Amino acid sequence: MEYLSDRIKSLSASATLAMAQKSRELKAMGFDIISLSVGEPDFNTPEYIKDAGKKAIDDNFSKYPPVSGFNDLREAVSKKFREENGIRYAPEQIVVSAGGKHSLINVLLCIVNPGDEVIIPAPYWVSYYDQVLLAGGKPVIVEATIDDDFKISPDQLEAAITAKTRIIIFNSPSNPTGMVYSGDELEAIARVIEKHEGLFVMTDEIYEHILFSGEHVSLASFDFIYDRVITVNGISKSYAMTGWRLGYIGAPLWIAKACDKLQSQFTSGVCTIAQKAAVAALTRDDGSRKMMRDAFLRRRDLICNLLRGIEGIKFRIPEGAFYIMPDISFYLGKTDGEKTINTADELAIYLLEKAQVAVVGGDAFGAPKCIRLSYATSDELLIEAVKRIKETLEKLK
Ligand code: PMP
Ligand code: GLU
């Protein structure tokens, strides 16, 4: 007999990780699966960072770390925020966690009360929705479609705010759409937040370095809302370190202290070796960050060109991150004679079975007419994957 809590029963598993797991299993069974599902750089962690991790082992960093992170790491993060983003976060305002994903749930657990509303612009990254539920909050979705370039307007945001709204989760460059808000658009969003006392914004800037034009603008750099912003970032994407599991926040001191208290009962802090590697990542530059960004840009152009060859597919050219979110509504209701495709999720499963290409259906991202493709893979695999997708879709009438 199983006795699971209602909390865990009502939680969905991460759709991105589920698809990644499914393609791993099929590959292990011998199927020739191309995975454009999970979003992670296909590069190895740069050598100088790996060396710092190895040195941390040899230097015996084997004891419990301070709960919010080693001082040198919090100082490195503080300096990064100051120099790259123009934000002043003292080291005490930094909390290091086991990935940006962990940073996000920490903050939600610290400031959301049961019944509080949390605004999430859609399309959104899968975990936001379920993390809000886990924290007892009520997700309030503000929808942007492909015709809006997948970006919400200040008026839409204003209209969604109620007396119960506690926090907005913001993400640019965006997973899953790759869209980026301009400095002016961000300022307009910040002005809406400014008007509502007691309203916070958690801005997830984990893709800031994978930006194809212009400069990244941080919401916390707008002084008039600085004390109502929690900035989430991490090393997974910029430094190809998804498996090291390290992310961080910069936040008002009282939020940082609350996250410290929470972590003291949850994790006791982050793996010491990953922390020392993160110090190296943030304080040195061997050019790999730019090399990877340039590769993603080249692949962005490649996948856009390839997708243009498929009938009925609509998309926006991504401006950052390594995802593209085509609108596939042209194919909904179509059939191959045996199977009719009714939803984007069904199309994703169909592509996995027939084309042996793993993509993620849009439902879990709040984008039911779309699918998400991660193009963080080699040119050859991208070419082959889109060829297979095209051939499979051509059979749907
Ligand atoms: N935010 C977004 C938008 C992401 O795509 C990811 C990637 N999984 C994360 C946060 C969390 O990344 P990590 O936990 O690896 O730092
Ligand atoms: N950010 C990645 C993705 O969206 C990693 C998977 C996850 O953490 O859910 O695919």
Side-chain angles (χ1 to χ4, degrees):
M1 192 68 176
E2 289 182 353
Y3 291 98
L4 291 174
S5 67
D6 294 342
R7 187 184 307 116
I8 200 72
K9 278 195 281 192
S10 61
L11 190 73
S12 319
S14 160
T16 45
L17 295 183
M19 203 54 163
Q21 180 58 21
K22 199 173 209 139
S23 36
R24 266 197 293 263
E25 283 166 13
L26 288 170
K27 265 187 206 168
M29 287 162 69
F31 290 100
D32 170 27
I33 304 291
I34 303 178
S35 179
L36 308 184
S37 58
V38 75
E40 65 177 333
D42 54 326
F43 297 100
N44 291 324
T45 302
E47 290 301 323
Y48 75 99
I49 301 176
K50 292 198 288 195
D51 288 344
K54 291 176 203 165
K55 185 164 182 309
I57 298 176
D58 290 338
D59 290 350
N60 294 308
F61 280 101
S62 49
K63 306 281 194 297
Y64 285 123
V67 172
S68 283
F70 283 126
N71 285 343
D72 56 349
L73 178 53
R74 291 164 90 196
E75 270 159 23
V77 172
S78 167
K79 185 161 179 274
K80 172 252 177 291
F81 275 132
R82 196 171 57 248
E83 292 179 357
E84 290 188 355
N85 309 113
I87 321 173
R88 288 164 295 101
Y89 285 127
E92 308 79 70
Q93 292 176 269
I94 310 295
V95 180
V96 177
S97 303
K101 192 182 257 182
H102 184 206
S103 300
L104 291 159
I105 185 69
N106 272 353
V107 172
L108 292 171
L109 288 173
C110 286
I111 72 172
V112 172
N113 265 320
D116 282 351
E117 293 177 3
V118 179
I119 294 180
I120 310 178
Y124 48 79
W125 179 48
V126 286
S127 292
Y128 298 152
Y129 193 93
D130 282 280
Q131 288 198 350
V132 169
L133 292 180
L134 196 56
K138 179 172 172 241
V140 174
I141 305 304
V142 178
E143 218 178 307
T145 66
I146 196 164
D147 298 320
D148 314 311
D149 286 343
F150 294 124
K151 293 195 254 188
I152 62 161
S153 71
D155 288 347
Q156 274 181 292
L157 179 60
E158 182 71 66
I161 296 171
T162 73
K164 287 193 167 166
T165 313
R166 170 66 50 226
I167 185 165
I168 298 159
I169 305 182
F170 202 80
N171 172 224
S172 172
S174 154
N175 175 5
T177 65
M179 300 319 287
V180 176
Y181 285 75
S182 70
D184 288 347
E185 286 166 340
L186 286 170
E187 178 162 5
I189 296 280
R191 288 289 174 201
V192 174
I193 294 159
E194 182 192 17
K195 276 197 260 170
H196 299 270
E197 217 179 302
L199 176 62
F200 293 85
V201 58
M202 177 155 67
T203 168
D204 177 350
E205 304 185 1
I206 202 151
Y207 293 100
E208 71 167 318
H209 295 123
I210 309 175
L211 182 67
F212 304 137
S213 63
E215 291 275 305
H216 175 74
V217 178
S218 283
L219 268 178
S221 68
F222 296 105
D223 286 344
F224 52 91
I225 54 162
Y226 166 78
D227 55 3
R228 290 201 267 133
V229 182
I230 301 102
T231 309
V232 178
N233 211 317
I235 54 172
S236 284
K237 316 291 166 165
S238 301
Y239 301 95
M241 294 179 73
T242 46
W244 295 75
R245 306 310 304 129
L246 190 143
Y248 52 83
I249 57 164
L253 191 58
W254 58 275
I255 295 179
K257 282 186 171 165
C259 291
D260 181 280
K261 181 160 81 170
L262 184 62
Q263 286 198 166
S264 79
Q265 295 291 14
F266 251 73
T267 56
S268 309
V270 173
C271 167
T272 50
I273 300 152
Q275 289 200 46
K276 291 296 171 186
V279 173
L282 294 175
T283 53
R284 276 187 48 198
D285 180 6
D286 72 344
S288 10
R289 206 171 75 188
K290 179 167 183 317
M291 176 280 289
M292 292 189 272
R293 174 255 177 216
D294 291 349
F296 293 134
L297 172 57
R298 207 191 55 249
R299 293 162 180 183
R300 190 262 329 243
D301 290 341
L302 174 66
I303 196 152
C304 287
N305 281 335
L306 295 166
L307 289 174
R308 281 190 192 102
I310 305 184
E311 189 191 7
I313 292 255
K314 281 199 289 183
F315 62 88
R316 288 287 177 269
I317 299 174
E319 296 157 350
F322 36 63
Y323 307 99
I324 187 161
M325 181 153 249
D327 178 312
I328 48 74
S329 39
F330 177 79
Y331 290 98
L332 299 183
K334 292 205 166 25
T335 177
D336 62 5
E338 278 173 17
K339 166 93 192 141
T340 303
I341 305 296
N342 292 310
T343 66
D345 281 2
E346 282 179 21
L347 186 67
I349 299 288
Y350 188 76
L351 289 174
L352 184 61
E353 286 170 357
K354 302 283 178 191
Q356 305 201 332
V357 178
V359 304
V360 191
D363 291 86
F365 300 98
K369 293 180 179 166
C370 300
I371 56 172
R372 188 196 75 171
L373 280 59
S374 160
Y375 54 85
T377 194
S378 69
D379 293 13
E380 301 75 56
L381 287 178
L382 286 176
I383 292 168
E384 174 64 18
V386 180
K387 178 172 155 266
R388 291 191 199 172
I389 293 175
K390 181 173 157 58
E391 285 166 5
T392 304
L393 292 180
E394 275 168 2
K395 297 194 182 110
L396 293 173
K397 302 290 171 210

